[in-house]
Amino acid sequence: MAPGIFSSRFQPPIIKTRKAWSGFIYLLFLVTVSLRIGISAPDKMAASFFSDFGLMWYLEELKKEEFRKFKEHLKQMTLHLELKQIPWTEVKKASREELANLLIKHYEEQQAWNITLRIFQKMDRKDLCMKVMRERTGYTQTYQAHAKRKFSRLWSSKSVTEIHLYFQEEVKQEECEHLDHLFAPKETGKQPRTVIIQGPQGIGKTTLLMKLLMAWSDNKIFRDRFLYTFYFCCRELRELPATSLADLISREWPDPAAPVTEIVSQPERLLFVIDSFEELKDGLNEPDSALCDDVMEKRPVQVLLSSLLRKKMLPEASLLVAVQPVCPKELRDRVPISEIYQPRGFNESDRLVYFCCFFKDPKRAMEAFSLVRESEQLFSICQIPLLCWILCTSLKQEMQKGKDLTLTCQSTTSVYSCFIFNLFTPEGAEGPTPQSQRQLKALCSLAAEGMWTDTFEFREDDLRRNGVVEADIPALLGTKVLLKYGERESSYVFLHACIQEFCAALFYLLKSHLDHPHPAVRSVQELLVANFEKTRRAHWIFLGCFLTGLLNKQEQQKLDAFFGFQLSQEIKQQLHQCLKSLGEHSDPLGQVDSLAIFYCLFEMQDPAFVKQAVNLLQKADFHIIDNADLVVSAYCLKYCSSLRKLSFSVQNVFKKEDEHSSTSDYSLVCWHHICSVLFYQPDLKYLSFTLTKLSRDDVRSLCDALNYPAGNVKELALVDCFLSPIDCEVLACLLTNNKKLTYLNVSCNDLDAGLPLLCEALCNPDTVLVYLMLAYCHLGEQCCEYISEMLLHNKSVRYLDLGANVLKDEGLKTLCEALKRPDCRLDSLCLVKCFITVAGCEDLASALISNQNLKILQIGCNEIGDVGVKLLCGALTHPNCRLEVLGLEECGLTSACCKDLASVLTSSKTLQQLNLTLNALDYAGVVVLCEALRHPECALQVLGLRKTDFDEETQALLMAEEERNPNLTITDDCDTVTGVEI
């Protein structure tokens, strides 16, 4: 046999019979003839594969019992598929070769193989399935070769950034492993998966898809998972007329005759890659009845892709969908998502490589990179390859003019202004021409319209309306600020959304919104207010920052040089008025984004104005997720002198990006700057940190700042801040030395072993702490001894929260010994979810009678039941009990306890609030309670019950009781007001 006729992937099983051997000789004859007459490789492979002899080889691999089961499966499957039946008598007596002949005779070759493969799958012969898959690659090989050529060409095609010149198209080993993992079956079998790649424009989503498809075409990934992967770009497909999935597949095939039936015969082996999902307008809003499941049926592209995504069509297929961050909610609502993956873009090493390749001169590259590295804002935008190119282009333009790069790197706005103004200044000229000025003004008008109408793709009529004439288009395309979009000739987009935002901000420095041709464009004041709201438009990322950044003195000089005028003073006054208005209103709903305000002020780089502006604010609430947020916060807080309340959440900051990163050290410096801010905040009374991973040094720095004599912080929250028992030593010193701190919340930290230090400090008679929150602190019953000792010696602590700790009845018993003492001053105790039972209620009842100071008791989420409540009610009816608030939510209560509770309502002169939510009360129990509520001696003002938990009759009864008693509120929101809000 000539070498190479059977590739290493094509190894037939051992030939065991004479008939099989004769079949093999005949097959060899077919292959030889095909070689001589010039049959193409795919046809040759198909000829060898779709034959009864090939089928017989696989049947030969079955043992006698397996072969019998194969025949039974064949009978059932052909019935299930409603295929023409082979007479069972023939099947039953057929040998392997005879059965192969029967299958080919009664069904088309392709269908015969499909049936065989399905039966192998049912028999769990994965080895045979794998062999069939590997042999059945005539079409797959053809398509893989085509895909490799296509995506390699797209990869290396000319792009604005020319990233392909600097980075290899091959997928790295670690990338292969990660991409493979995305579609690895999470359970037994090959379940279809829908993976979302989510990230901002320019982060590299399409690049990742290209590399993935090239890796698949090289058999580096998904080798045993997918036979075919098809790439659909919504931007290109959305303008197509009604079409079918078969047509879309054929568009991707190397020749018109795509074997669609063969391709879709195993949908579980298909991967559909959908790029730019956000371009599919209203693509998932069709009712289920409008979707289709026929791959041959012609429907609008949106319907086809929606049918794929919502698993109406080919539900066994897997999907990989790339979207911008604004779209995932729509996907989450309608699509079964397996995983969401967020590309990281350029890491620090990638950025250095890019700078070196872009500037070519190593000295210039390192000069630029070092300057950018010093600015957390500029360095962070370099994570997005396209924005990295914009930054490098700006620096190179300034280098060539001999300008000081330090000024260019002063702010993000400075980078974009250099980029835009240089592009619109003719090469070698001192300044712009009247034509380029007009063109840029028109472009800014277009950008502003797009921001207010959420439009990012523009037609020629949009351009004309904003002053861009047809003769301007070649020049604008030449600047690369404006690009042709998709396959349509008359559709245009800005190079990046950031460029559109910059131009939109620039519009307001050149014209009034009243001069804009589109009525949707609003005033500067409305823009600022909208920008500072947490619910602002999803596409508004840098718009406010660019607007305020252009108010900087250096940027005003650029504007004067380019246009000869600008409206900065008017906008400054509007910004000041906007911040004053926000400061005068306390923002009770928390709708103001403090960080957005600080970013805008940071971008101005105007200390005098920043100081004036921040002192208009009395409250700041930050959710910091990266180093840039931290830098901006530190910069603006140092100018604050009027803040009363400051809340922080810091995540993903105090850690290195990779082994080459130094961001951790830089972040620590910023953290120290924030702590030092506390020295200069005479009005700051409330300070909260949540979800912030604090190191030992961080905690020490913070406590040192709080102990500074000029500080006036009264309330401190360090919730879920990864505090450890070691930190309790520093906190203990704070409690001992600080004579202003009255509130400490260290909930959600592991402090069990450190609690003795805190309690020892609080035993000091000079401590002034009133509120102590220790919920979810991993405390055990032994901790109650230290807490009890503290309660007996401390005269200031009034509120104690021990919720969600494993205190049990034994710990409660110890605690109650202290509560019974007349010198215990505690008036509020939270024991929610502390594993207390009926036995603990007996001790609590005794304490309630002995302690006339205790006013608030929260004991919800403990299995005390009706018996436990009966014990408590016995104490509550005692004349010595002064309890005002009792929380019994989710305590396993039934209507059997309502009689006891009713006796409390009619006899207690102090009980004002009772929470009974999430208990199994019924109509009869509620009737008993309502009768007690009507008693003239009942003092209750708030009853915790969720009306919707009851039937209509009971709901009517509760509503009638509320109407009868205007002083009574029945609600499911019974959070006790402690007098302090953090």
Side-chain angles (χ1 to χ4, degrees), residues 915-932:
N915 188 359
L916 298 174
T917 56
L918 302 175
N919 288 295
L921 306 186
D922 58 17
Y923 177 78
V926 172
V927 167
V928 173
L929 292 176
C930 287
E931 288 176 355

Side-chain angles (χ1 to χ4, degrees), residues 781-812:
E781 54 195 82
Q782 69 280 1
C783 290
C784 292
E785 296 181 12
Y786 301 104
I787 295 171
S788 298
E789 186 73 13
M790 180 269 292
L791 291 176
L792 293 177
H793 290 84
N794 184 283
K795 305 305 178 187
S796 64
V797 173
R798 295 286 187 271
Y799 184 101
L800 179 62
D801 185 354
L802 297 173
N805 289 296
V806 190
L807 304 185
K808 300 183 180 178
D809 295 331
E810 293 79 1
L812 180 59

Side-chain angles (χ1 to χ4, degrees), residues 66 277 502 585 711 933:
E66 287 179 323
F277 172 80
F502 176 84
H585 299 87
L933 290 170

Side-chain angles (χ1 to χ4, degrees), residues 423-426 431-444 466-476 479 562-563:
L423 288 180
F424 281 85
T425 301
T433 64
Q435 184 182 18
S436 62
Q437 287 177 327
R438 179 185 57 76
Q439 289 171 348
L440 181 52
K441 286 179 184 177
L443 206 59
C444 291
N466 286 281
V468 179
V469 298
E470 188 174 350
D472 294 329
I473 293 177
L476 292 174
T479 64
F562 194 91
F563 291 108

Side-chain angles (χ1 to χ4, degrees), residues 48 300 494 522 565 642 655 734 751 779 832 857 902:
S48 64
F494 282 85
R522 313 307 291 269
F565 70 95
S642 301
K655 63 181 182 181
L734 177 67
L751 301 179
L779 306 182
V832 171
L857 176 63

Side-chain angles (χ1 to χ4, degrees), residues 4-13 41-42 44-46 48-49 57-58 127-145 216-219 223-224 226-227 269:
I5 290 181
F6 290 105
S7 69
S8 59
R9 295 187 308 99
F10 190 83
Q11 295 294 339
K44 176 186 66 181
M45 188 65 73
S48 64
F49 182 74
W57 289 338
Y58 285 95
D127 57 330
L128 293 183
C129 291
M130 195 60 65
K131 285 182 180 179
V132 172
M133 288 300 96
R134 286 175 179 168
E135 300 313 326
R136 198 175 184 180
T137 55
Y139 292 129
T140 302
Q141 282 182 320
T142 299
Y143 179 65
Q144 280 183 314
W216 170 80
S217 68
D218 270 340
N219 285 317
R223 191 180 316 170
D224 299 324
F226 300 118
L227 284 174
R269 306 280 286 178

Side-chain angles (χ1 to χ4, degrees), residues 544-598:
C545 291
F546 286 142
L547 180 64
T548 55
L550 286 167
L551 303 180
N552 175 269
K553 184 177 180 180
Q554 177 190 326
E555 299 309 312
Q556 291 177 39
Q557 291 171 353
K558 291 182 191 176
L559 282 165
D560 284 335
F562 194 91
F563 291 108
F565 70 95
Q566 36 82 23
L567 307 174
S568 58
Q569 290 307 315
E570 180 183 335
I571 294 176
K572 252 186 182 178
Q573 292 169 4
Q574 291 172 308
L575 173 59
H576 184 275
Q577 186 58 42
C578 178
L579 294 175
K580 183 180 179 182
S581 177
L582 291 175
E584 289 172 349
H585 299 87
S586 58
D587 184 31
L589 300 178
Q591 294 303 308
V592 176
D593 189 341
S594 305
L595 198 55
I597 294 175
F598 276 21

